[in-house]
Amino acid sequence: LEKNILYNFFGQSTLIILGFVSAKLIYSQLGEDFLGIIYFSLMLNTLLVAALDLGLTSTTIKEIAAYHETDPAYAHSIIRSGSLFYWSAYLLVALAIFWSAPLLVQRWINLNAMPPDEATSILRVLGVAAVLALPSTFFASIFRGIQSMGLPNTIDVAASGTQQVGVVTLLVLRSPPIWVVW
């Protein structure tokens, strides 16, 4: 328990610090429209993950914790069923975001300097990538169930760190904004 608490604390603290650094660089280099689209994507992602959770991650944690050692076949069936559900949900939501991006930009995002077509492209890429949190949340619940938080926190910090290094590198090289998005 103590080790898992430490993994969670240091992993999440590092992600918070990286988030602040990222926001500062993106705002100062690419502007408020760009940062606004990023935060819109994050907000949309948070709402969708919460709405589509349906209590499944909590149930997964409990069932995996209870049965991963005593009935591995049952635990594997939970993982297979959950994987199918979350990857299917991801595909449907990603397609919905991709196709509704022009409408979202037109009606929900207030642009000051960025052309709507560019904002639509950015929202499509970020929105589809952001909802990867759906299957990611499910797989993290499996690790919580087996009480192994080191791996998911290491993956989160490594992925975020890699992303931040990429963003900084591209901004220093004055790359086009869409490269930063990708």
Side-chain angles (χ1 to χ4, degrees), residues 34-95:
F34 200 91
L35 187 63
I37 294 169
I38 290 171
Y39 281 118
F40 180 81
S41 297
L42 291 172
M43 183 246 355
L44 187 62
N45 170 51
T46 301
L47 291 172
L48 290 170
V49 168
L52 294 174
D53 179 65
L54 306 171
L56 292 176
T57 54
S58 298
T59 302
T60 301
I61 293 168
K62 291 175 189 173
E63 294 296 302
I64 296 294
Y67 296 104
H68 80 278
E69 290 179 355
T70 60
D71 191 357
Y74 174 68
H76 287 267
S77 70
I78 290 172
I79 293 169
R80 281 192 306 274
S81 298
S83 296
L84 177 64
F85 172 79
Y86 277 100
W87 282 112
S88 298
Y90 166 75
L91 183 62
L92 290 173
V93 172
L95 287 171

Side-chain angles (χ1 to χ4, degrees), residues 143-160:
F143 285 106
R144 286 187 184 99
I146 60 174
Q147 297 180 10
S148 177
M149 294 307 300
L151 183 61
N153 275 323
T154 301
I155 291 169
D156 284 346
V157 171
S160 187

